[in-house]
């Protein structure tokens, strides 16, 4: 491998290193002569601040790899933040309880049924030596009765856990169960409408963004633009744990973000589900013809995106001590930008969560550098937009085309290389189940 190819494959990491070095070299100094950017507290603040966006970008990555988009995640985070704040601070039957508790019961019922049936199917496939993507018919006991019983049991257990918390107000575990389930349900509805209605993800998630915003405002009430949450006062003191440092080293939101990156990254990298996600983004029709249940996979990716938005909402409430119907306004755009900066193609079929992790950190470090230098907030938006465009041009290898179009030095040779790379191959295309689209 030549040095140029190695540099091209690791350009994302070099970009992260470059942003970090700029922050170090250009950092203002404290009164004691210490580098403010390199201070442990500042770096912890960066990780804490990017965690909410990072969780949403984690779910968005798989959605974009399938060739979709999810514009509703900001509104889903908002409605989940309202539900979380209401459950924490208002006792008795509230709109948050009416929306949240039945949702958990429904999600538990469906998950119990689907997961049990999935296990039985895979056991039958392993015994029969059948292809992993081929359907196997199950008998009535394994295919319907047992999964239904498991779903009902999980539903009853969830209600047994949640119902006693309604009157005294919910605790930490209660809101960590309810809010993500609300997000998961709305995300699954997104996926179901896209698949069953054969509609464009952009339109469906745009409609869900508006709908969820309206539901969030109705849930909060017209007189509640903000639902304050004060731990130890109107909410349980245990909720403060979501603001704490784990072992005094890493903030709790950062731990959630890193855990999501590692777990979902392993799923996309090492499981058949992950291979199906890449295959659908590469060529959905070929994936269907090969036997992949593309519809189910797409619904699952949107459901996970909603689930992570729900977790981000709980962390938002913990950090900012409030739930708001507009809490996630514009957050979906930040998440999409971080995913694209991380090298995931909006055309689908190419991307990785390690790239998204780097993209989130680049975005966070850039914001921190601009804030340390007291750059005007409006100018910060302009600079961020320019950097996003430049980064995507480099990631998509279209910078040479732009230079050639502008007739700038160095653009002609790069334009020829890009044109040669884009020239269609004479070979017959084949389905790539193992990873990125080439």
């Amino acid at each position: 491998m030549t040095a140029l190819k190695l540099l091209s494959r690791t350009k994302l990491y070099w970009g992260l290193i470059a942003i970090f070095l700029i922050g170090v070299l250009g950092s203002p100094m404290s009164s004691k002569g210490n580098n403010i950017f390199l201070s442990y507290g500042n770096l912890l603040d960066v990780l804490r601040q990017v965690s909410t966006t990072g969780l949403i970008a984690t779910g968005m990555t798989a959605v974009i790899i399938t060739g979709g988009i999810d514009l509703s995640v900001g509104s889903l985070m908002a409605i989940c933040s309202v539900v979380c704040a209401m459950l924490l601070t208002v006792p008795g039957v509230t709109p948050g309880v009416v929306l949240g508790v039945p949702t958990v019961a429904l999600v538990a019922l469906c998950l119990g049924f689907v997961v049990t049936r999935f296990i039985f199917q895979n056991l039958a496939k392993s015994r029969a030596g059948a292809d992993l993507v081929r359907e196997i018919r199950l008998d009535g006991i394994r295919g319907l009765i047992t999964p239904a019983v498991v779903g009902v049991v999980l539903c009853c257990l969830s209600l047994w856990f949640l119902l006693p918390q309604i009157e005294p107000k919910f605790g930490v575990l209660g809101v960590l169960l309810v809010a993500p389930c609300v997000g998961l349900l709305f995300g699954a509805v997104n996926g179901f409408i896209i698949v069953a209605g054969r509609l464009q993800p952009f339109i469906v998630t745009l409609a869900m963004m508006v709908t969820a915003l309206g539901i969030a405002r109705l849930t909060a009430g017209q007189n509640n633009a903000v639902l304050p949450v004060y731990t130890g006062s109107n909410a349980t003191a245990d909720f403060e744990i979501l603001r704490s440092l784990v072992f005094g080293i890493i903030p709790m939101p950062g731990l959630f973000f890193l855990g999501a990156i590692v777990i979902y990254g392993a799923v996309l990298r090492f499981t058949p589900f992950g291979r199906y996600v890449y295959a659908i983004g590469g060529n959905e029709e070929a994936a269907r013809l090969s036997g992949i249940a593309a519809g189910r996979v797409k619904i699952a990716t949107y459901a996970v995106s909603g689930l992570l938005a729900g977790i981000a909402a709980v962390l938002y409430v913990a950090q900012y001590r409030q739930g708001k119907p507009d809490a996630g306004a514009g957050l979906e755009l930040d998440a999409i930008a971080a995913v694209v900066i991380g090298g995931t193609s909006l055309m689908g079929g190419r991307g990785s969560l390690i790239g998204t992790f780097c993209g989130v950190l680049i975005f966070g470090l850039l914001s921190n550098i601009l804030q340390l230098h007291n750059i005007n907030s409006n100018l910060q938006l302009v600079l961020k937009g320019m950097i996003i465009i430049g980064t995507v041009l480099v990631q998509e290898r279209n910078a040479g085309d732009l230079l050639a179009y502008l007739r700038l030095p160095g653009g002609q040779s790069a334009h020829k290389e890009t044109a040669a790379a884009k020239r269609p191959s004479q070979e017959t295309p084949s389905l790539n189940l193992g990873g990125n689209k080439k």
Side-chain angles (χ1 to χ4, degrees):
M1 182 183 296
T2 64
L4 188 59
K5 287 184 178 180
L6 180 62
L7 181 63
S8 176
R9 291 189 178 186
T10 59
K11 56 190 172 186
L12 179 63
Y13 307 105
W14 287 109
L16 179 59
I17 293 172
I19 289 289
F20 188 82
L21 289 177
I22 290 173
V24 173
L25 297 177
S27 172
M29 297 295 178
S30 66
S31 58
K32 297 182 179 180
N34 298 324
N35 190 299
I36 296 179
F37 178 81
L38 276 180
S39 66
Y40 187 64
N42 181 65
L43 296 179
L44 281 184
D45 284 341
V46 171
L47 181 58
R48 188 187 298 274
Q49 291 168 6
V50 302
S51 296
T52 301
T53 304
L55 279 168
I56 292 178
T58 300
M60 185 75 74
T61 302
V63 170
I64 293 179
I65 290 175
T66 63
I69 198 76
D70 190 351
L71 299 179
S72 67
V73 285
S75 294
L76 296 189
M77 195 193 90
I79 189 173
C80 291
S81 75
V82 169
V83 170
C84 175
M86 190 166 286
L87 294 179
L88 285 168
T89 60
V90 184
V93 178
T94 63
V97 170
V98 173
L99 177 61
V101 174
T103 297
V104 175
L106 179 60
V107 169
L109 179 64
C110 294
L111 280 181
F113 184 90
V114 171
V115 171
T116 305
R117 185 179 172 85
F118 175 79
I119 292 173
F120 279 132
Q121 281 185 334
N122 280 273
L123 289 175
K125 288 175 184 178
S126 63
R127 291 171 183 171
D131 194 315
L132 283 176
V133 297
R134 188 178 303 162
E135 284 288 342
I136 287 185
R137 292 184 177 273
L138 298 174
D139 56 53
I141 295 178
R142 294 182 299 168
L144 181 61
I145 297 177
T146 304
V149 170
V150 173
V152 170
V153 170
L154 286 180
C155 177
C156 293
L157 288 175
S158 64
L159 291 176
W160 172 80
F161 175 70
L162 294 176
L163 290 179
Q165 300 184 52
I166 293 177
E167 194 58 39
K169 290 187 293 193
F170 279 63
V172 179
L173 295 180
V175 294
L176 278 174
L177 176 62
V178 175
C181 283
V182 171
L184 185 149
L185 180 62
F186 278 92
V189 170
N190 272 336
F192 179 79
I193 295 174
I194 290 169
V195 172
R198 298 183 180 180
L199 299 177
Q200 288 294 326
F202 180 89
I203 298 299
V204 174
T205 57
L206 179 62
M208 180 60 78
M209 177 178 70
V210 178
T211 303
L213 180 60
I215 296 175
R217 290 175 177 174
L218 289 172
T219 303
Q222 293 186 358
N223 298 325
N224 292 320
V226 176
L227 296 172
V229 177
Y230 303 117
T231 54
S233 176
N234 67 344
T236 174
D238 295 340
F239 195 65
E240 190 72 18
I241 193 173
L242 296 181
R243 292 171 50 88
S244 63
L245 293 177
V246 181
F247 302 117
I249 300 175
I250 183 172
M252 183 65 77
L255 191 63
F256 274 87
F257 172 40
L258 295 175
I261 286 285
V262 171
I263 295 172
Y264 207 16
V267 169
L268 293 179
R269 175 74 174 174
F270 300 112
T271 67
F273 174 82
R275 294 196 293 272
Y276 299 163
V277 167
Y278 282 101
I280 292 168
N283 190 326
E284 184 172 346
E285 185 61 27
R288 293 181 189 277
L289 294 175
S290 68
I292 294 175
R296 298 178 188 175
V297 174
K298 292 172 73 173
I299 291 174
T301 58
Y302 284 95
V304 172
S305 179
L307 172 71
L308 293 175
I311 296 175
V314 178
L315 298 176
Y316 173 90
V317 173
Q319 297 307 305
Y320 296 97
R321 301 181 186 276
Q322 62 183 8
K324 295 173 59 180
D326 60 348
L331 196 58
E332 63 279 349
L333 301 181
D334 289 344
I336 293 171
V339 171
V340 174
I341 288 174
T344 299
S345 172
L346 287 172
M347 300 301 292
R350 175 165 61 85
S352 67
L353 278 178
I354 186 62
T356 296
F357 178 70
C358 292
V360 169
L361 289 184
I362 288 174
F363 216 69
L365 290 174
L366 174 63
S367 298
N368 183 253
I369 292 170
L370 295 176
Q371 290 170 5
L372 288 178
H373 288 83
N374 295 318
I375 303 297
N376 181 277
S377 59
N378 295 321
L379 181 57
Q380 286 188 34
L381 296 177
V382 174
L383 293 175
K384 286 181 182 179
M386 295 174 62
I387 291 174
I388 290 172
I389 291 295
T391 305
V392 174
L393 281 172
V394 173
Q395 291 291 348
E396 298 292 336
R397 301 179 183 178
N398 291 333
D401 289 347
L402 180 62
L403 292 176
Y405 183 79
L406 297 175
R407 293 182 172 84
L408 296 179
Q412 190 65 28
S413 59
H415 173 71
K416 291 181 180 179
E417 293 178 3
T418 305
K422 292 182 177 179
R423 189 175 296 120
S425 174
Q426 300 299 321
E427 299 178 0
T428 302
S430 59
L431 176 64
N432 178 19
L433 292 177
N436 295 349
K437 180 174 66 176
K438 297 181 180 179

